[in-house]
Amino acid sequence: MTPALRCVSIACALSALLPALPASGQGRLLATGGATQVEGAAGGGIVPWAVLSGYGTDEQHGGAAFYTRVDTGDYALDAFGASYTFANRVEVSFARQSFDLGELQRRLALPWDALEQDIYGAKVRLAGDLVYTRMPQVSVGVQHKRLRDGALPLAVGARDDNGTDAYLSASKLFLDAAGGYQLLLNATLRSSNANQAGLLGFGGDRRAERTWLWEGSAAVLLDPRLAVGVEYRQKPDNLGFAREDDWRDVFIAWFPNKHVAVVGAWADLGSIATLDDQRGAYVSLQLSL
């Protein structure tokens, strides 16, 4: 099955589960739920934002299902999952990631061809609103990550096969900012010791403790259905066998309606597990209700 067909089939299957949850609503403006970040939270592609998934107002509920693929040539990452937001206040999410070791597995004849990780997330809106208040929307979140088989990360120096990230995000949509276009700005502060977002375990032989990491996003809405932007994510560098670089991307997001969002990006992930210059395409499909 091609990545595009896999994307449609997985996201559609997940979206079929969402109607069993409390009645949904779509009272918020188009695109204000963002896309789904690769770890399952509402936001950009690699950075969680303060926004919550779906389009429900304070008296409604809503959610989303997603599928994402990132392919650098040497490696590939597939992620899928779903999230649900209650009364535009609390978001819960689940994501599963499968990291194809590709070229590294072939070079080293590793007995593993992929690493898999489950991510359980929760986010709470503390104050503000993305659009309607002068102050930014501010949310706090956690992402508990657990490798399904931690043997390889532990063998290369990771301290643990599970860990929990905590983050604080602030997001604001300026309706008449960039040359008359809408401008979204987001800043996220993350506490983490995850190696390659957890896919190579947590902590390492160089450094075991958690560190504070900065993440940021900026996007211009060319019209209510189309946004272009950039993201940056600072990373720790805990493992001695291979350095870990910061992540960045340039993206375009299309919101044809409140049920569908499609994101395409060019991602620069730096060095991953001794292989340098990991750059490639990122594509994500989100279905919302």
Side-chain angles (χ1 to χ4, degrees):
M1 183 181 293
T2 66
L5 289 177
R6 189 186 302 116
C7 172
V8 172
S9 62
I10 293 175
C12 288
L14 288 168
S15 66
L17 301 176
L18 294 179
L21 294 168
S24 61
Q26 296 187 341
R28 283 156 52 197
L29 296 176
L30 182 66
T32 55
T36 303
Q37 184 248 352
V38 72
E39 290 153 307
I46 60 175
V47 177
W49 300 351
V51 301
L52 306 184
S53 65
Y55 287 97
T57 65
D58 292 357
E59 298 179 351
Q60 300 171 331
H61 308 301
F66 83 101
Y67 172 84
T68 295
R69 181 174 176 85
V70 187
D71 194 332
T72 67
D74 292 328
Y75 298 113
L77 174 68
D78 293 280
F80 66 90
S83 60
Y84 204 79
T85 296
F86 300 87
N88 196 26
R89 179 63 63 179
V90 177
E91 173 192 285
V92 294
S93 62
F94 169 78
R96 174 165 294 174
Q97 297 177 336
S98 179
F99 182 56
D100 185 343
L101 293 171
E103 182 63 21
L104 187 68
Q105 192 273 338
R106 290 186 286 272
R107 287 187 185 185
L108 303 181
L110 296 173
W112 306 273
D113 58 7
L115 297 171
E116 292 188 332
Q117 176 175 231
D118 290 338
I119 304 173
Y120 303 88
K123 186 193 302 185
V124 178
R125 179 169 62 91
L126 299 179
D129 184 89
L130 182 70
V131 179
Y132 299 114
T133 60
R134 294 187 63 182
M135 72 171 294
Q137 181 165 321
V138 179
S139 298
V140 63
V142 294
Q143 294 173 336
H144 178 69
K145 306 175 179 183
R146 183 174 294 273
L147 286 163
R148 296 173 64 83
D149 181 354
L152 177 58
L154 293 175
V156 298
R159 295 294 185 93
D160 211 335
D161 63 359
N162 68 90
T164 302
D165 290 1
Y167 63 90
L168 179 70
S169 294
S171 304
K172 181 61 181 173
L173 180 65
F174 300 92
L175 296 178
D176 188 11
Y181 295 108
Q182 298 177 22
L183 172 67
L184 184 141
L185 297 177
N186 175 83
T188 296
L189 187 63
R190 181 189 296 261
S191 173
S192 175
N193 67 343
N195 309 316
Q196 298 296 350
L199 290 163
L200 288 181
F202 301 83
D205 49 331
R206 292 187 65 246
R207 181 170 55 193
E209 66 273 12
R210 305 168 69 88
T211 55
W212 287 103
L213 305 164
W214 181 83
E215 304 170 11
S217 308
V220 175
L221 278 74
L222 302 178
D223 68 45
R225 292 178 172 81
L226 189 66
V228 295
V230 296
E231 295 185 292
Y232 178 85
R233 177 167 172 171
Q234 191 178 21
K235 305 290 293 305
D237 193 10
N238 300 325
L239 296 172
F241 91 101
R243 77 175 190 274
E244 182 170 358
D245 294 332
D246 297 346
W247 288 354
R248 52 186 61 82
D249 70 36
V250 178
F251 69 87
I252 181 168
W254 179 46
F255 302 88
N257 53 56
K258 291 185 180 181
H259 297 292
V260 177
V262 181
V263 179
W266 182 256
D268 181 354
L269 308 180
S271 180
I272 299 178
T274 73
L275 300 185
D276 295 336
D277 302 322
Q278 295 305 303
R279 305 183 182 97
Y282 169 112
V283 63
S284 182
L285 170 67
Q286 173 182 280
L287 302 178
S288 302
L289 78 162

